[in-house]
Each structure stands twice: as structure tokens, then as C-alpha cells.
Amino acid sequence: ACVSGAIFGFLHIVASILIGNWNNCVYFIVYAACGFVLCIPYEDTGSIFASIYTHAANNFLLTLLKLWMNSLH
């Protein structure tokens, strides 16, 4: 799970690294933790799709939260 989390974290910041934006590297820890948590549905079900659906639901909910927060301004 730790290796999967690290790979997940790295893949989410690699674009920033490639363009020379090293400031986003701090997010590696957050993304790696998310990747670690996304291992749980896979371990419970044995299906990668459970992790994919969890990831999609997380992105959807955070997008809704961001839209709602922006509407408050």
C-alpha cells in the first residue's frame, strides 16, 4: 500500500516537476496519503474498479465543494 500510495502521489505531481514548478512537491504527501487510502477499497473487494469509483467520487465531491465555496464570495 505504501508503494502504491507513493506512485499515486508521484503521478499527481510529475507534470509540475516537468515544467520546473517544484513548489507543488509539497502536495506529494497529500496525494500519497490519498493513494494509500485508495488501497483500502481494492483490498476489501479485490477489484481496482472500487478504487477508481472511490477516486471519482472524491473528485466529484471536492469539485462540488469548491463550486459551493466560490459561490459564497
Side-chain angles (χ1 to χ4, degrees):
C2 291
V3 172
S4 293
I7 292 170
F8 185 86
F10 177 74
L11 290 176
H12 278 76
I13 63 163
V14 71
S16 294
I17 292 171
L18 291 176
I19 63 169
N21 183 0
W22 293 92
N23 294 331
N24 285 344
C25 287
V26 70
Y27 295 114
F28 171 78
I29 296 166
V30 175
Y31 288 129
C34 289
F36 180 79
V37 170
L38 286 171
C39 288
I40 296 170
Y42 173 76
E43 290 294 326
D44 287 348
T45 64
S47 172
I48 190 67
F49 293 109
S51 293
I52 292 170
Y53 296 143
T54 304
H55 186 264
N58 177 62
N59 289 348
F60 177 72
L61 292 174
L62 288 176
T63 300
L64 289 179
L65 179 64
K66 183 164 179 64
L67 290 171
W68 178 69
M69 293 293 287
N70 286 342
S71 73
L72 296 177
H73 292 106

